Amino acid sequence: MAEMTMIQAINQAMAQEMERDERVVILGQDVGKNGGVFRATEGLQGRFGEERVMDTPLAESAIVGTSIGLAVNSFRPIAEIQFLGFIYETMDQISAQAARVRFRSAGRFTSPIVIRSPYGGGVRTPELHSDSLEALFAHTPGLKVIMPSNAYDAKGLLISAIRDNDPVLFLEPMKLYRAFKLEVPDEVYEVPIGEAKVVKDGEDVTIVTWGATVPLAQKVAEEAEPRNISVEVIDLRTVQPIDLETIVQSVEKTGRLIIVHEAVKSAGVGGEVASLVSEYSLFSLASPILRVTGYDTPYPVPSVEDDWLPTAPRIHAAIEKVMEF
Amino acid sequence: MYDEKNLNHEMVQFMDQYGSLLHDNIDLNDSQLLEIYNWMLKTRLFDEKMVRMQRQGRIGTYAPFSGQEASQVGSTYAMEKDDWIFSSYREIAATMVHGLPMQQSILYAKGHMYGGQSPDKLNIFPIQIIIAGQTLHAAGCALASKLKGENDVSVSYFGDGATSEGDFHEALNIASVFKVPSVFFCQNNHWAISVPLHQQTASQTIAQKAIAYGVKGVRVDGNDVLAVYHVMKEALESARNGEGPTLIEAVTYRQGPHTTADDPTKYRNNDEVNEWAKKDPIDRFRTFLNKRGLMDEDKQEKMKGIVNEEIEKAVAEAESTDRVTVDKAFDYVYDKPHKLLLEQQEESRQFLTIKEGR
């Protein structure tokens, strides 16, 4: 078993799946010779050839739309969108096309594609590189949305996504690409789509989070311990579909729920989680459900982004509030 | 220096407006010519029937294609069985010629859950509503054929309005860069709902847009079925030979409204409609067949009778197809529905039971 960064794990997942299944192809801008702007596809074109790792013209709609055609005609494409903020260009091809092929044809055709894209802030990118747009896609029936938070999950979830018979949006927190290493098995393994993971046990407060904010929530949970507040942290891992059972089980134990995500607050996945808990487990709650999120502004300029993103003090304040309620 | 005025805008024509042949060598035998005519007549009568059925409330909103039979029938007749079609909502004639059962199109127009489910092994993608979205699917499908070393060509059908969409340009570009076996078939019917061609594009022709992408562009008289068949045959052959995509502009006319919900008298004058009525593709081809001794009034009436019977039979079949309840909608969202979706499906079933008083 080797220690790996998330980007290395992602690279290995794709390499191993391409090795196993010749229907798996990669397409996107700069994915070939350059190996992707973050090097996620590094070495793959050299190993599998230009017909399986294809540099495309700079056209997001074309990258996804062409992937749909490839999938319909028996391939398993992995499309790369260079930064999530560029995904608006292909909104139609994802939400109105890929996600609906199965429904529109009543099962005659399907679109098993994976769309990979780096997302998330804290890395000083220019405008429209850092946005967290998972809510836009969680609202699309027929699409699955995965957001891993570490190397082990990223590999297993990506392999599951490639093998999945539905279109999957796979969002990779760019801040965590190389933030830390984890032991990742060399062999091929799957992490099931749609299953959350309790990454820290606790008794007093549940924090539900995903992607880039998972390590932050874990850190806050540890910091709360000396104050005798026991925080349970759930890494959602898949935001569509949501693993309601794991959340409800935890909230029934702790009685308090805080949701932490980078995306803007309004109409987001956090609101969905809160709504589900109130629908399925209202009377287990001892306090209101709180959200610690990005603010409802466009993703801000680099000089202020650190204070815009959820921070440890903001999460601590939320913990105080639910504990004192 | 590039000069727009010096582009060659020649339009391919095999028959003149009066059905006289302008070319000696047409590679279609008499029975094929009659088969093509049969398709044109059948799809015209089908189209008229659908409009009447919409007025009677028997189907939903419908997009008529009358006037465009030569473009659709001529192009699809040139295709091989395994070729792919990615069409918009106005290409029912094309999909029918390629093998889509008539009752399937009626089910679609009725808003039936299975209207978009083409039979197994028939390479017809469901109808596309979003303008130009399908051009990229065809490009990708063609790329797949190329990678697999298969001989199939992927054809996308779209109208003149689609040529303003980003996806059309992205599709031509990527298909050309990857040199995929694909044909982009534009039916320039002159109107995108109420917007006339000259307000859709400032270029003189749609075919010339091919130049910018490094693909072949052909402009053909879209009401001349023999010319359409011929240019399509060439484009398909060129695609199969690894020469990449062709953009075909079939110049034709939508004789009716955009859809049954549209009133073209608000934006279109009668002179234009009458002018194009004189160029009707079916009349022209019938005159040609008459001159060739292949068609007369008796034969025409007989053919009409058989075709009408076929249409009525398809309508009866479609109308006797069981309705589908809303709980079936959950079956085709994911390969395996997730728990919360299954809960909603169960809820929908409970309400169906209440509604039916069970």
Side-chain angles (χ1 to χ4, degrees):
Chain A
M1 207 170 340
E3 290 229 317
M4 272 186 205
T5 61
M6 189 190 285
I7 200 85
Q8 287 168 331
I10 287 167
N11 181 281
Q12 191 182 68
M14 286 191 280
Q16 290 180 336
E17 282 304 281
M18 290 184 84
E19 187 74 53
R20 187 188 66 86
D21 184 350
E22 61 178 21
R23 298 172 305 166
V24 178
V25 293
I26 294 175
L27 58 164
Q29 209 218 331
D30 298 318
V31 298
K33 274 211 176 69
N34 199 32
V37 282
F38 290 99
R39 307 288 174 261
T41 52
E42 187 151 55
L44 298 182
Q45 191 181 63
R47 192 165 153 199
F48 296 101
E50 285 180 20
E51 290 205 330
R52 294 192 63 195
V53 183
M54 295 174 264
D55 270 322
T56 64
L58 202 175
E60 286 78 9
S61 190
I63 291 166
V64 177
T66 309
S67 297
I68 295 169
L70 278 160
V72 162
N73 199 351
S74 77
F75 282 85
R76 293 250 162 186
I78 305 171
E80 180 176 301
I81 299 299
Q82 218 157 43
F83 290 92
L84 192 60
F86 307 169
I87 210 158
Y88 292 108
E89 296 270 6
T90 183
M91 194 78 201
D92 174 68
Q93 288 294 345
I94 298 174
S95 292
Q97 307 300 334
R100 300 173 77 117
V101 168
R102 180 187 297 279
F103 189 81
R104 187 175 291 150
S105 66
R108 166 76 167 84
F109 295 106
T110 58
S111 180
I113 69 176
V114 178
I115 301 153
R116 290 182 40 249
S117 185
Y119 86 96
V123 290
R124 311 281 180 267
T125 60
E127 198 196 356
L128 282 167
H129 285 63
S130 296
D131 299 49
S132 298
L133 305 173
E134 64 268 28
L136 297 181
F137 297 97
H139 202 64
T140 295
L143 191 67
K144 294 177 179 173
V145 184
I146 297 175
M147 300 173 80
S149 68
N150 62 66
Y152 178 89
D153 283 354
K155 179 175 170 182
L157 283 166
L158 184 52
I159 289 172
S160 297
I162 295 167
R163 295 178 184 185
D164 199 278
N165 290 328
D166 294 312
V168 177
L169 183 64
F170 194 84
L171 303 181
E172 302 160 2
M174 67 178 107
K175 193 178 177 182
L176 303 187
Y177 267 153
R178 293 181 172 82
F180 58 96
K181 286 188 173 184
L182 216 60
E183 293 218 321
V184 174
D186 291 331
E187 60 265 27
V188 173
Y189 62 93
E190 289 183 61
V191 170
I193 295 172
E195 283 185 20
K197 189 180 178 196
V198 179
V199 291
K200 189 190 164 298
D201 286 323
E203 302 296 327
D204 302 322
V205 187
T206 298
I207 292 182
V208 171
T209 186
W210 52 90
T213 42
V214 173
L216 173 66
Q218 283 174 291
K219 181 176 149 262
V220 168
E222 279 158 28
E223 287 169 356
E225 269 173 14
R227 298 201 306 278
N228 287 326
I229 303 171
S230 168
V231 181
E232 180 146 303
V233 180
I234 294 175
D235 179 353
L236 205 51
R237 299 198 291 199
T238 305
V239 303
Q240 180 62 274
I242 287 176
D243 178 1
L244 177 66
E245 274 177 3
T246 303
I247 298 170
V248 165
Q249 221 167 45
S250 175
V251 172
E252 282 177 355
K253 178 173 62 172
T254 64
R256 298 175 187 87
L257 174 63
I258 294 168
I259 300 149
V260 179
H261 63 66
E262 274 200 22
V264 300
K265 188 171 188 175
S266 296
V269 176
E272 181 62 28
V273 171
S275 180
L276 283 168
V277 168
S278 76
E279 204 173 326
Y280 287 84
S281 192
L282 180 67
F283 295 111
S284 63
L285 288 169
S287 73
I289 301 168
L290 296 185
R291 284 174 287 172
V292 181
T293 71
Y295 295 116
D296 284 346
T297 74
Y299 194 91
V301 292
S303 62
V304 299
E305 68 178 322
D306 288 346
D307 297 319
W308 183 91
L309 289 164
T311 57
R314 285 174 62 197
I315 303 171
H316 278 302
I319 292 173
E320 297 297 324
K321 202 168 167 184
V322 294
M323 290 304 292
E324 284 164 16
F325 182 80
Chain B
M1 184 69 179
Y2 164 83
D3 181 4
E4 156 83 11
K5 292 194 181 76
N6 284 336
L7 287 173
N8 183 1
H9 297 306
E10 189 206 354
M11 181 141 81
V12 180
Q13 238 184 357
F14 269 51
M15 277 181 289
D16 68 13
Q17 201 175 324
Y18 312 101
S20 298
L21 207 54
L22 305 167
H23 279 254
D24 295 336
N25 41 355
I26 48 166
D27 53 358
L28 289 160
N29 62 36
D30 289 352
S31 80
Q32 287 173 315
L33 291 170
L34 282 171
E35 197 185 354
I36 289 174
Y37 182 74
N38 188 60
W39 274 119
M40 291 171 76
L41 187 68
K42 189 191 297 185
T43 49
R44 168 69 58 92
L45 294 174
F46 174 83
D47 197 51
E48 290 172 355
K49 173 79 180 177
M50 287 300 102
V51 173
R52 285 197 302 278
M53 280 179 66
Q54 193 280 333
R55 303 297 182 223
Q56 294 160 354
R58 292 160 75 186
I59 61 168
T61 307
Y62 177 79
F65 57 82
S66 282
Q68 302 181 208
E69 292 87 351
S71 293
Q72 295 190 30
V73 174
S75 57
T76 318
Y77 196 80
M79 287 166 65
E80 298 293 331
K81 192 181 146 282
D82 288 335
D83 289 338
W84 287 79
I85 288 186
F86 294 80
S87 77
S88 88
Y89 44 79
R90 208 186 300 285
E91 278 93 30
I92 290 177
T95 55
M96 246 183 235
V97 175
H98 203 50
L100 194 72
M102 203 179 265
Q103 65 267 29
Q104 187 74 38
S105 297
I106 305 170
L107 281 183
Y108 182 87
K110 279 171 65 65
H112 195 280
M113 262 289 296
Y114 298 125
Q117 187 190 56
S118 57
D120 278 349
K121 289 184 183 164
L122 187 62
N123 292 339
I124 297 180
F125 210 55
I127 283 173
Q128 180 58 246
I129 298 294
I130 299 300
I131 305 300
Q134 73 276 22
T135 56
L136 282 167
H137 307 157
C141 186
L143 177 57
S145 296
K146 183 181 168 171
L147 292 174
K148 288 194 286 183
E150 287 172 357
N151 225 9
D152 315 325
V153 180
S154 296
V155 179
S156 52
Y157 282 92
F158 50 92
D160 41 303
T163 67
S164 306
E165 290 274 10
D167 278 357
F168 163 78
H169 297 277
E170 293 193 18
L172 271 181
N173 190 50
I174 199 165
S176 175
V177 167
F178 286 139
K179 241 182 171 190
V180 300
S182 184
V183 178
F184 292 83
F185 194 94
C186 175
Q187 292 180 84
N188 169 5
N189 69 9
H190 288 84
W191 292 89
I193 308 190
S194 68
V195 177
L197 185 66
H198 68 90
Q199 275 177 267
Q200 196 65 244
T201 177
S203 56
Q204 294 209 15
T205 71
I206 285 165
Q208 78 188 53
K209 292 177 193 289
I211 297 169
Y213 300 101
V215 305
K216 277 165 279 185
V218 183
R219 192 159 197 255
V220 61
D221 182 341
N223 285 13
D224 174 349
V225 74
L226 297 177
V228 173
Y229 172 81
H230 178 84
V231 299
M232 187 65 174
K233 197 96 189 156
E234 261 186 15
L236 290 164
E237 223 172 87
S238 148
R240 273 187 245 284
N241 290 339
E243 291 162 40
T246 302
L247 168 65
I248 296 175
E249 175 190 7
V251 181
T252 182
Y253 196 72
R254 181 238 295 162
Q255 292 178 350
H258 163 68
T259 67
T260 45
D262 168 48
D263 174 13
T265 59
K266 278 172 72 180
Y267 53 82
R268 205 162 72 167
N269 69 49
N270 270 337
D271 292 349
E272 182 187 295
V273 178
N274 293 336
E275 234 3 81
W276 276 95
K278 288 180 200 160
K279 299 179 193 167
D280 185 274
I282 301 183
D283 291 347
R284 189 193 308 191
F285 194 43
R286 189 174 51 247
T287 317
F288 163 82
L289 292 174
N290 282 343
K291 285 181 184 171
R292 230 174 151 83
L294 292 172
M295 185 56 64
D296 55 35
E297 244 172 64
D298 272 2
K299 279 186 185 164
Q300 157 88 2
E301 283 312 304
K302 210 172 148 199
M303 199 183 258
K304 236 181 178 171
I306 295 169
V307 161
N308 272 329
E309 234 172 74
E310 196 183 330
I311 293 169
E312 290 306 326
K313 199 173 150 225
V315 169
E317 269 178 47
E319 290 193 324
S320 64
T321 304
D322 286 344
R323 277 173 61 104
V324 176
T325 46
V326 68
D327 57 324
K328 293 299 286 176
F330 296 87
D331 291 347
Y332 301 105
V333 184
Y334 295 101
D335 186 22
K336 293 181 192 75
H338 57 79
K339 279 185 190 164
L340 289 169
L341 198 62
L342 287 172
E343 271 186 29
Q344 292 179 22
Q345 184 175 34
E346 191 43 45
E347 181 191 310
S348 77
R349 284 189 182 129
Q350 284 168 14
F351 277 92
L352 281 171
T353 314
I354 294 167
K355 188 177 147 194
E356 288 161 14
R358 276 191 262 145

